[in-house]
Amino acid sequence: MSNQLTSELRISPAIRRPHLSESPAIRVLLIGVTLVFLILLLVLPLITIFIQAFSKGVWVYFASLLDPDAMSAIRLTLTVALIAVPMNVLFGLSAAWLVSKFKFRGKSILLTLIDLPFAVSPVIAGLVFILLFGGRGWFGPWLADHNIQIIFTLSGMVIATIFVTSPLVARELIPLMQTQGTQEEEAAASLGAKGWRIFFRVTLPNIKWGLLYGIILCNARAMGEFGAVSVVSGHISGLTNTIPLHIQILYNEYQFAASFAVASLLVLLAVITLIVKSVFEWKYHGHGIHKESGER
């Protein structure tokens, strides 16, 4: 009886995937609202950035990007991302593995802590690190005695970026790994495979698209982070200014063409990130649909 019911559910897609029917007027209204929203709040601002960036000519645009302070900001932004993203990948994989594959007390508390950076303002996070590692902070005197400086250095900026972006990989992997369950890992273990072999041969291939998707989101947020990094950086031109901070300085100094030129670089990075994200998302969902069809 159970097998018959299961086969009927598989044969009848309408039972599993009910479709909502809307009137043509409602569809036109929803499409119109969506398009107006996207045009006013996304397309027009992006077009304006490029118009302002080239307002004084192509030479001024490239001169703004090749300015020593701008180049330093670009290098620092890439450096912070190259350090923060792998750290969050390691954390995300560990947290997702722990939450999805094991049962233990306090799991809900752990999930709440993982989501905490989403709830805390980045500026508040930066102030917390000042209170912890600043000259008059909890660990400030000890750090000073050992000639260690975290605030106003690359280390502080990396720590702040890691905190702000820490949930992105984990939150992408946890639902995916919970949906997949533990059957394949248990089967591999019954055949004699050990922990790391199970992870690299069974778990990782199943989550690779979700992992890449989380890495892309984490990298995009790391490169564009402003609030927390602004608090702990000290705004030292040529030393501790990332791209967003350099844009703010240029804008405050009324160098509008230069500020929009550097901002256009972030926009281009964001567009590239979205393209890569869309490709991986398409492959991820296509892989899932293909696998589901194969199981049938």
Side-chain angles (χ1 to χ4, degrees):
M1 182 67 179
S2 176
N3 294 333
Q4 182 181 0
L5 179 59
T6 303
S7 61
E8 289 177 357
L9 289 175
R10 289 182 176 179
I11 293 173
S12 178
I15 297 178
R16 294 184 298 105
R17 296 189 180 97
H19 295 283
L20 299 177
S21 59
E22 305 89 4
S23 65
I26 295 297
R27 293 182 183 180
V28 171
L29 177 62
L30 293 176
I31 294 173
V33 170
T34 303
L35 289 177
V36 170
F37 182 87
L38 291 176
I39 291 173
L40 293 179
L41 298 182
L42 182 63
V43 177
L44 288 181
L46 293 182
I47 294 175
T48 302
I49 289 175
F50 284 96
I51 292 175
Q52 293 296 325
F54 289 98
S55 61
K56 293 187 176 181
V58 176
W59 294 111
V60 174
Y61 176 84
F62 286 104
S64 301
L65 296 180
L66 296 176
D67 179 76
D69 288 342
M71 295 298 295
S72 174
I74 294 171
R75 286 193 298 268
L76 184 59
T77 300
L78 295 177
T79 302
V80 171
L82 286 174
I83 299 173
V85 173
M87 296 295 291
N88 280 330
V89 170
L90 179 61
F91 167 74
L93 283 170
S94 302
W97 179 277
L98 179 64
V99 170
S100 61
K101 305 300 181 182
F102 300 96
K103 296 180 180 179
F104 57 93
R105 293 182 179 180
K107 182 183 292 189
S108 60
I109 298 176
L110 177 60
L111 290 173
T112 301
L113 293 176
I114 291 174
D115 290 336
L116 184 62
F118 284 150
V120 176
S121 167
V123 175
I124 300 301
L127 291 175
V128 169
F129 290 120
I130 292 287
L131 294 175
L132 289 175
F133 305 119
R136 297 183 180 181
W138 288 5
F139 305 109
W142 184 88
L143 294 172
D145 292 340
H146 293 79
N147 296 321
I148 300 174
Q149 185 176 356
I150 294 180
I151 302 303
F152 307 146
T153 66
L154 173 64
S155 301
M157 300 169 70
V158 169
I159 291 173
T161 303
I162 290 175
F163 175 83
V164 172
T165 59
S166 59
L168 294 174
V169 176
R171 266 304 171 189
E172 189 64 33
L173 292 179
I174 289 174
L176 175 61
M177 295 176 70
Q178 286 178 330
T179 302
Q180 292 175 348
T182 61
Q183 291 84 359
E184 294 188 18
E185 285 83 359
E186 291 173 355
S190 66
L191 295 174
K194 302 299 182 183
W196 287 112
R197 185 176 179 84
I198 293 175
F199 175 77
F200 285 109
R201 299 296 296 272
V202 178
T203 304
L204 189 58
N206 288 336
I207 65 171
K208 60 182 179 181
W209 297 120
L211 176 60
L212 289 173
Y213 186 66
I215 291 174
I216 291 170
L217 293 178
C218 183
N219 182 69
R221 178 64 189 276
M223 290 192 298
E225 174 55 31
F226 177 83
V229 172
S230 176
V231 174
V232 302
S233 69
H235 291 270
I236 305 173
S237 296
L239 293 177
T240 62
N241 275 341
T242 57
I243 294 177
L245 302 184
H246 184 62
I247 293 171
Q248 183 196 37
I249 290 176
L250 291 175
Y251 191 85
N252 290 338
E253 294 177 350
Y254 301 102
Q255 301 182 46
F256 298 123
S259 65
F260 280 105
V262 180
S264 69
L265 181 61
L266 270 185
V267 172
L268 289 174
L269 291 174
V271 170
I272 294 173
T273 300
L274 287 175
I275 292 174
V276 176
K277 166 183 168 292
S278 299
V279 171
F280 282 125
E281 189 175 26
W282 171 74
K283 287 187 176 181
Y284 170 64
H285 287 297
H287 176 76
I289 294 173
H290 177 73
K291 184 176 180 181
E292 183 181 353
S293 300
E295 289 176 351
R296 293 179 189 174

